[in-house]
Amino acid sequence: MEFIHFDISGVVEIQPRVFGDARGAFFESFSAEKMAAAGIVGNWVQDNQSRSDRGVVRGLHFQQPPHAQAKLVRVAAGRALDVIVDIRRDSPTYGQHLSVVLDAERFNMLYVPVGFAHGFTALKDGTLFLYKCTDYYAPHSEGGLLWNDPALNIDWGVSNPTISAKDQVLPTLANFNSPF
Ligand SMILES: Cc1cn([C@H]2C[C@H](O)[C@@H](COP(=O)(O)OP(=O)(O)O[C@H]3O[C@H](C)C(=O)[C@H](O)[C@H]3O)O2)c(=O)[nH]c1=O
């Protein structure tokens, strides 16, 4: 496994070793031991999966403490533009975002620590988005940021996305009081 770090601290892209042969390919999608070496540690208690067709944007979401979730995200089919926003109050990169293309053919993954809002654009039909979470779903603790808030200046790679009604009324950064 290779680990890529960013100017936004704590976020890690994981490029697993892929074993290709005449049958196809194999890779380890999770290794607590190997990932701990890169600071990726967590009590992973819930796995999620969503399927989205091209042009869907899900996010920007997080769960508030004490149900905050770190996430380990990947794409098992298709391709996604994964977007995370640093909402850690004391972070020098507060309000800044990072975008990483997650591709089922590259097998790359992203570790999203607690303190980030998370979302993605499905770049292909039938994109299967899988992620491990370090806490259970707690709907009463859900929070979010408006995907197209000009203050975030995020290029989602799509002009007229399919978005849930819930996500269309999330707060802007200016009207947001981070719990992290
Ligand atoms: C997240 C979640 C949802 N649900 C139910 C609640 C709704 O009836 C239905 C769809 O939920 P939602 O519209 O919140 O799904 P997404 O918009 O994909 O939410 C996710 O989108 C972004 C990208 C994230 O990072 C979060 O993990 C998560 O918020 O699944 C559950 O039963 N358990 C869960 O853990």
Side-chain angles (χ1 to χ4, degrees):
M1 278 186 182
E2 292 178 17
F3 302 99
I4 300 106
H5 299 271
F6 301 89
D7 291 342
I8 297 183
S9 67
V11 183
V12 186
E13 182 181 1
I14 303 112
Q15 184 57 61
R17 184 175 175 191
V18 181
F19 298 88
D21 62 28
R23 300 166 298 168
F26 176 94
F27 79 106
E28 294 178 2
S29 57
F30 177 73
S31 168
E33 182 181 44
K34 291 175 182 169
M35 291 175 170
I40 301 169
V41 291
N43 178 33
W44 305 102
V45 294
Q46 180 176 313
D47 284 0
N48 294 336
Q49 178 173 311
S50 63
R51 183 183 59 74
S52 306
D53 285 334
R54 186 170 174 274
V56 165
V57 168
R58 294 176 185 257
L60 291 153
H61 302 156
F62 60 88
Q63 290 194 170
Q64 303 180 55
H67 303 287
Q69 296 168 315
K71 297 167 188 169
L72 185 57
V73 303
R74 66 189 179 97
V75 164
R79 185 181 301 140
L81 179 70
D82 202 73
V83 178
I84 61 174
V85 179
D86 188 353
I87 52 174
R88 298 168 297 186
R89 291 165 177 261
D90 299 336
S91 170
T93 52
Y94 177 85
Q96 294 184 28
H97 73 277
L98 183 64
S99 305
V100 175
V101 174
L102 300 176
D103 193 316
E105 297 305 315
R106 278 190 51 210
F107 305 96
N108 61 327
M109 303 178 268
L110 191 69
Y111 171 67
V112 184
V114 164
F116 285 80
H118 176 248
F120 68 89
T121 306
L123 298 175
K124 283 185 174 178
D125 284 345
T127 290
L128 288 182
F129 198 90
L130 280 63
Y131 46 118
K132 305 182 80 68
C133 304
T134 59
D135 208 320
Y136 296 105
Y137 178 51
H140 62 279
S141 76
E142 281 191 311
L145 283 174
L146 188 63
W147 71 284
N148 62 348
D149 177 359
L152 296 176
N153 192 29
I154 297 169
D155 178 358
W156 290 91
V158 61
S159 54
N160 185 25
T162 302
I163 293 195
S164 69
K166 176 183 78 166
D167 288 352
Q168 293 180 34
V169 295
L170 290 170
T172 59
L173 195 63
N175 298 319
F176 170 69
N177 185 20
S178 177
F180 297 102

